[in-house]
C-alpha cells in the first residue's frame, strides 16, 4: 500500500517534470512568428538544441529570404558574405546602382534612405548591412560559420567592440578612399588627390593599431574568424585595386590578415556577380 | 516484485533527470570566469532564471566596473545613460578632454585611438561607447530597464537596425553639427556656416524619415524605449542648445520623442557632472 502510494507520487512527479520537456510547442504556429519564438524555445529547453534549431530553420525558410541589392555594392556584399558563410539561399532582387535606381521614387517606400541592401524575412524588413548581418547570425547561430560567440558575453563584448571599431574608425576613411578612387572615376569624376592624401593619413593611424593587434591575434576579435572581420571585407576588397593597397601591404600582420579573409570561399562567392545573377535563372 | 522493480526504474529516471537541474555549478568558480559561463548556464537551466541572473551579477561585481571618461563627453554620456538605466554602480576615472588628456602618450596604452570612454570589467577592456553599452545590456539583461529584446530575434533585428541607422545616418551629420556649433566655439574656433548649412540639409532628410516612423511608434524601434533611443541621446542633447534645435521642433513626432527620451531620470543623471565627480568622494 505504502509502496504503491509512493509509486503514484513518483509517477506524478515525472508527469509534472515532463511538462517542461514538451518538445516543439511551436508546431502549428503561424509561420510569420517563427523563428523568433521557436529559437527562444530552443534556448530554454534541455532538448537537443541542434535538432531544435534545425527544425526552426526549416520552418523559417518556408517563404525564403529576399535581398534587394547590387552585386558590386560594398554593402550588399557584406550581407552576401554572411549568407554564404551560413550556407543560406535567398532570392536576389537587383537594384541597378549604375542608373541610381536606389534613389528613384519607386524604391523609396522600400528604403526611405535610398540605399541597398534591403533584406526581407517574411513580413520583417531590415536595412543597414551590418544590422542585417547580425540578424542572420542571430537566427542561424548554429549553422555554417559561427560568426559570434553567443554563449560567452566577454568574448562577444570583444567581438562587438571590433565591429564598432570598424564602423567608427575604419569605415569613415576607408569608404571615403573607395569613393574618391573607385566610385568617382566610375561616374566620370576625378579623384581629389588632396582628400586622398589626408584620408590615407587617417587610415594609416587606424592600420597601425590593427598591426599591433594582429601581431598577437589571427583575426581582429580573436583567433577565430568573426563578424568583425566580415564587416571589413567590402572596403578592403575595393582598396586592393587602388594605390591605397600599399598601406595594407606595408604592415606584415595586416597583410597576412587581409590575405586570409579575402581568400575565404564565401567572400569570393559574394564578389562574384555571376553568382548573383545566376540565381535568377 | 514487479511493482518494486518499476519503483527502482522510476527512481532512476528521476535521478537522471535531476542531474540536468543541478543548481549553480559555477559556485566556487574563479571570479574572472564570471559572468560569462554563469549566464550561459542560466539560459540552459529550467531554474528560476531571475534568481540565477541575480546570483551571477553579485559574483560579477566582486571587483566593480571602472569607466574612464569625461562627464561632458557625448560618448561617455552614452555609456553613463546605460549604467544608470540598469542601476549599476561604477568607479569613474576622469580623463580631462579640455586638456586633451585622452591623446597624451600616457593614455594611449589604455586606448590607442586616443578616445574616451574606456570600460573595464575585471580583465576585460572595452572601447567604443556603443559596444560598451551593448556589453552592459547583454550581461545585465534581466536588470533595470530592458534595452533590447533578447528573446525575439525579429524584434531584436528591428532594434539593431535602428541602432545602425543612428550610427550611419544620424550620427555623421549630428556629430558634425555638434563639432561645428558646440566644440569648435569651446576651443575658441569659429563655426563654418557653409558646413553647418549643408550638414543641416542632410540631417533634415534623416529627420523626415524619423518623423514618419515616430508618427506610428512611440520610440524608434518599438513602443518600448530601447538601446536605439539611448544611442541618439548624446548628440540630441547638445543640438538642443544650438540653432539646429528648430529641425527637431518643426517635426511634431520627433519633438515629442525628443522630449520623452531627454526627460528620463537616467539621462538627466548621465548629464549631471556632479553625479560623476560626486562618486569620487
Amino acid at each position: 500500500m505504502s509502496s504503491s502510494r509512493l509509486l503514484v507520487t513518483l509517477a506524478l512527479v515525472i508527469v509534472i517534470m515532463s511538462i517542461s520537456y514538451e518538445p516543439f510547442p511551436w508546431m502549428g504556429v503561424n509561420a510569420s512568428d517563427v523563428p523568433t519564438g521557436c529559437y527562444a524555445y530552443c534556448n530554454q529547453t534541455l532538448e537537443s538544441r541542434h535538432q531544435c534549431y534545425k527544425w526552426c530553420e526549416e520552418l523559417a525558410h518556408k517563404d525564403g529570404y529576399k535581398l534587394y541589392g547590387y552585386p558590386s555594392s560594398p554593402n550588399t556584399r557584406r550581407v552576401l558574405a554572411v549568407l554564404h558563410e551560413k550556407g543560406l539561399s535567398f532570392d536576389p532582387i537587383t537594384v541597378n546602382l549604375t542608373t541610381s535606381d536606389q534613389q528613384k521614387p519607386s524604391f523609396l517606400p522600400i528604403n526611405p534612405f535610398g540605399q541597398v541592401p534591403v533584406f526581407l524575412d517574411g513580413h520583417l524588413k531590415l536595412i543597414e548591412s551590418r544590422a542585417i548581418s547580425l540578424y542572420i547570425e542571430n537566427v542561424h547561430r548554429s549553422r555554417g560559420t559561427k560568426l559570434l560567440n553567443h554563449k560567452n558575453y566577454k568574448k562577444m563584448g570583444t567581438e562587438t567592440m571590433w565591429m564598432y571599431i570598424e564602423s567608427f574608425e575604419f569605415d569613415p576613411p576607408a569608404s571615403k578612399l573607395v569613393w574618391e578612387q573607385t566610385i568617382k572615376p566610375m561616374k566620370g569624376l576625378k579623384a581629389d588627390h588632396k582628400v586622398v592624401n589626408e584620408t590615407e593619413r587617417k587610415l594609416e593611424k587606424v592600420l597601425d593599431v590593427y598591426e599591433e593587434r594582429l601581431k598577437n591575434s589571427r583575426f581582429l576579435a580573436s583567433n577565430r574568424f568573426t563578424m568583425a572581420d566580415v564587416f571589413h571585407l567590402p572596403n578592403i576588397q575595393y582598396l586592393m585595386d587602388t594605390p591605397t593597397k600599399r598601406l595594407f601591404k606595408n604592415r606584415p600582420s595586416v597583410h597576412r590578415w587581409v590575405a586570409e579573409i579575402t581568400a575565404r570561399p564565401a567572400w569570393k562567392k559574394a564578389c562574384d556577380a555571376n553568382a548573383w545573377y545566376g540565381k535568377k535563372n
Side-chain angles (χ1 to χ4, degrees), chain A:
Chain A
M1 183 67 178
S2 151
S3 151
S4 88
R5 201 175 269 179
L6 187 59
L7 196 69
V8 168
T9 312
L10 281 173
L12 217 80
V13 167
I14 288 178
V15 165
I16 290 166
M17 288 179 93
S18 298
I19 288 167
S20 316
Y21 283 87
E22 186 201 346
F24 304 135
W26 292 95
M27 198 75 88
V29 152
N30 198 332
S32 68
D33 294 333
V34 175
T36 301
C38 191
Y39 283 93
Y41 170 74
C42 294
N43 287 334
Q44 282 170 41
T45 62
L46 295 174
E47 282 295 324
S48 154
R49 237 178 258 200
H50 185 67
Q51 176 57 40
C52 188
Y53 283 149
K54 266 183 93 171
W55 184 84
C56 293
E57 273 168 24
E58 273 169 37
L59 212 68
H61 271 74
K62 268 188 178 161
D63 299 316
Y65 293 142
K66 288 181 177 57
L67 183 67
Y68 291 84
Y70 195 62
S72 64
S73 135
N75 292 326
T76 300
R77 284 181 176 179
R78 189 173 285 115
V79 174
L80 288 173
V82 174
L83 287 166
H84 294 319
E85 290 286 357
K86 291 283 166 189
L88 290 164
S89 62
F90 61 96
D91 289 322
I93 302 165
T94 304
V95 181
N96 193 339
L97 302 194
T98 65
T99 48
S100 295
D101 285 6
Q102 81 280 14
Q103 281 157 6
K104 288 184 180 162
S106 58
F107 189 73
L108 295 183
I110 294 167
N111 182 357
F113 293 109
Q115 296 164 348
V116 292
V118 177
F119 183 78
L120 298 185
D121 178 7
H123 296 295
L124 177 71
K125 185 176 77 180
L126 294 177
I127 62 170
E128 295 293 334
S129 62
R130 292 164 185 83
I132 297 167
S133 300
L134 287 169
Y135 172 73
I136 295 167
E137 167 60 25
N138 252 335
V139 171
H140 298 283
R141 52 182 71 188
S142 68
R143 182 186 176 121
T145 310
K146 284 157 196 66
L147 297 170
L148 282 179
N149 192 322
H150 297 274
K151 290 187 179 169
N152 183 317
Y153 293 164
K154 291 200 174 184
K155 286 184 181 170
M156 200 197 220
T158 302
E159 290 162 2
T160 308
M161 175 180 78
W162 282 100
M163 288 176 352
Y164 275 100
I165 290 172
E166 186 277 330
S167 293
F168 285 91
E169 313 302 330
F170 181 83
D171 182 83
S175 62
K176 199 179 226 176
L177 288 165
V178 170
W179 168 256
E180 286 292 336
Q181 300 176 102
T182 309
I183 302 175
K184 273 172 79 172
M186 274 185 195
K187 292 175 179 275
L189 302 165
K190 275 188 77 176
D192 183 329
H193 290 295
K194 194 174 162 244
V195 170
V196 169
N197 284 337
E198 283 172 6
T199 313
E200 282 196 339
R201 296 296 81 72
K202 287 180 187 167
L203 183 63
E204 282 198 284
K205 285 189 180 179
V206 177
L207 292 182
D208 283 342
V209 177
Y210 282 31
E211 178 66 14
E212 284 306 306
R213 169 65 179 171
L214 292 165
K215 274 181 191 164
N216 304 308
S217 187
R218 186 168 159 199
F219 298 98
L220 277 179
S222 73
N223 285 320
R224 282 191 320 110
F225 177 75
T226 72
M227 193 64 91
D229 303 298
V230 175
F231 281 8
H232 287 78
L233 276 166
N235 281 324
I236 286 178
Q237 189 67 49
Y238 270 107
L239 291 175
M240 288 303 108
D241 291 326
T242 70
T244 304
K245 180 180 183 176
R246 74 189 185 289
L247 307 185
F248 295 85
K249 279 193 80 175
N250 288 346
R251 291 167 173 81
S253 302
V254 168
H255 186 52
R256 170 193 52 74
W257 169 68
V258 166
E260 184 162 1
I261 62 173
T262 55
R264 291 183 71 85
W267 178 245
K268 290 198 175 297
K269 201 171 173 189
C271 295
D272 179 8
N274 288 328
W276 175 274
Y277 291 113
K279 286 194 181 287
K280 281 187 121 180
N281 301 327

